Amino acid sequence: MRALQFTEYGPADLLHVADVAEPHAGPGQIRVAVRASGVTPGDTYLRSGMFGDRLPLPHVPGVDAAGVVDEIGEGVTGVNLGDEVFGMVDLALLGGANAEFAVLVAWAPKPAAWSWEQAGGAAANVETATRTLDLLGVRDGMILLIAGAAGGVGTVAVQLAAARGARVIGTAGPATQDFVAAMGAVPVVYGEGLVDRVSAISAGRGVERGGAVDAVLHCAGPVPDLISLAGSPDRVVTIADLSGEHGVRLTHTAGGPGADPQALHGLAIAAGLSSFTVPLAGVFPLDRAADAHRLSETGHAHGKIVLV
Ligand SMILES: NC(=O)c1ccc[n+]([C@@H]2O[C@H](COP(=O)([O-])OP(=O)(O)OC[C@H]3O[C@@H](n4cnc5c(N)ncnc54)[C@H](OP(=O)(O)O)[C@@H]3O)[C@@H](O)[C@H]2O)c1
């Protein structure tokens, strides 16, 4: 089958399409004929070698995809050949989705209202956003600040938090304010003066725990102002600060010490929300995956990057 791969660690140019052996659905798994699959910042970090040489090479990147079910593994119920689904690959493999066929370990029916591109880029960010909102206990009436609201995770987290009844404030650059507002957050420009700007928006509400907001999800940018706004580091969950310097809760699912279970229940929840959408930062054919990785590496993609 056709698959994206890299055979050594390094820059995006090393990505190429190759003919590789087809994977097959094992027990509890399904295989899909992929219609679209996602690119995450994590894919670019792995490819660059930032995380060391932890992968057997060659490696097929991509952790989420959407497609048509063409194999059903032993013990799987509730899905039929020909069904249209979106979902995630086995996280232990850290890849496999950017290919003609992909094996999924978690999935939900693709909503008719989502394009294939949106479905292909939905699962990983929905899982991450759900995990963080669960850890923060986001619920009706809370004020949640999302730092990095215009990114792949942020755009999804804004919508899922709003669906829980939270009032969401989202940080983004000056050019991205309207985009964040369209997701359902009150937009605010990041950078110097952030504490004053957010405090003015929350206007004394959200002080359950002595901060201007009840909880913070950190996806991008500096952390200290976010702790000031939350009133305490234990009201801040980060997916992006690996430094451990600020005393905030880092959540990840990458294995090893401190890994959290995946919040896979989020897939069906997102699929069931009539207003939920996956904004697309860019859609690229598989043979232009290097451009997709380069867009991710700018740190200023707005929504999800997808390969078709
Ligand atoms: N731990 C986990 O489980 C997990 C899971 C998924 C992702 N992650 C990590 O979480 C981070 C976010 O992932 P993602 O997929 O959302 O990334 P992304 O889509 O690449 O995020 C890009 C966004 O970040 C915004 N941004 C850049 N600098 C910012 C700043 N100083 N303040 C606020 N926003 C800023 C940009 O908005 P503007 O263009 O408006 O500046 C852009 O929209 C990445 O580091 C990723 O590796 C971790």
Side-chain angles (χ1 to χ4, degrees), residues 238-267:
T238 181
I239 58 170
D241 178 31
L242 309 183
S243 75
E245 285 171 8
H246 303 290
V248 301
R249 168 79 149 88
L250 168 67
T251 176
H252 69 90
T253 55
D260 286 307
Q262 289 183 287
L264 295 168
H265 58 280
L267 304 192

Side-chain angles (χ1 to χ4, degrees), residues 39-45 51 91 124-125 127-129 131-132 146-155 170-177 179-180 188-191 194 218-222 238-242 250-254 260 281 295-305:
V39 171
T40 66
D43 296 326
T44 71
Y45 306 156
F51 294 145
L91 202 65
N125 288 338
E127 185 285 318
T128 302
R131 175 162 35 92
T132 59
I146 299 180
V153 175
T155 48
T171 76
T176 332
Q177 298 289 292
F179 177 65
V180 167
V188 60
V189 177
Y190 54 68
L194 180 70
H218 171 248
C219 304
T238 181
I239 58 170
D241 178 31
L242 309 183
L250 168 67
T251 176
H252 69 90
T253 55
D260 286 307
L295 172 58
S296 177
E297 286 168 339
T298 66
H300 294 283
H302 301 139
K304 179 79 176 193
I305 301 168

Side-chain angles (χ1 to χ4, degrees), residues 104-216:
L104 305 181
V105 297
W107 59 87
K110 170 190 165 298
W114 299 5
S115 67
W116 277 114
E117 290 84 355
Q118 290 174 314
N125 288 338
V126 166
E127 185 285 318
T128 302
T130 303
R131 175 162 35 92
T132 59
L133 300 184
D134 287 354
L135 286 169
L136 288 165
V138 172
R139 60 184 183 281
D140 191 25
M142 279 177 65
I143 297 187
L144 172 70
L145 174 65
I146 299 180
V153 175
T155 48
V156 167
V158 166
Q159 297 175 76
L160 295 181
R164 293 180 183 210
R167 184 179 171 206
V168 187
I169 302 169
T171 76
T176 332
Q177 298 289 292
D178 290 349
F179 177 65
V180 167
M183 294 297 112
V186 178
V188 60
V189 177
Y190 54 68
E192 199 179 330
L194 180 70
V195 172
D196 290 342
R197 286 192 291 282
V198 173
S199 300
I201 293 166
S202 68
R205 287 189 56 224
V207 288
E208 275 180 23
R209 295 174 190 253
V213 300
D214 294 312
V216 178

